[in-house]
Amino acid sequence: MTTAGRIRGAPRTGDLVYDTEREAIGRVAYVDTGSNLAWLKPQHDGPEWTALPEQLRLAADGER
């Protein structure tokens, strides 16, 4: 459920997304709707990070 690659509502656990603020791709590990944050794991090695759902869009095929 996207509009031009944007995610409508909160991203879902397991979604591969592009964080527009960090310019990084990650997989959604957890979404805390109470604090409006998504926890992301990098596609490869590295630390997890948090992002606001509005900074995320589904990763395009060329970004995977």
Side-chain angles (χ1 to χ4, degrees):
M1 296 189 176
T2 64
T3 303
R6 302 305 285 176
I7 299 173
R8 258 191 226 165
R12 294 185 304 187
T13 300
D15 284 346
L16 187 61
V17 296
Y18 181 79
D19 181 345
T20 58
E21 190 70 25
R22 243 180 115 111
E23 297 182 350
I25 295 176
R27 188 157 309 273
V28 178
Y30 176 74
V31 179
D32 184 346
T33 54
S35 66
N36 196 36
L37 285 175
W39 272 260
L40 304 172
K41 291 184 177 186
Q43 213 175 5
H44 305 291
D45 289 331
E48 292 184 359
W49 75 93
T50 59
L52 296 171
E54 56 267 18
Q55 345 178 145
L56 303 176
R57 65 169 171 74
L58 293 175
D61 287 337
E63 295 171 326
R64 295 172 186 241

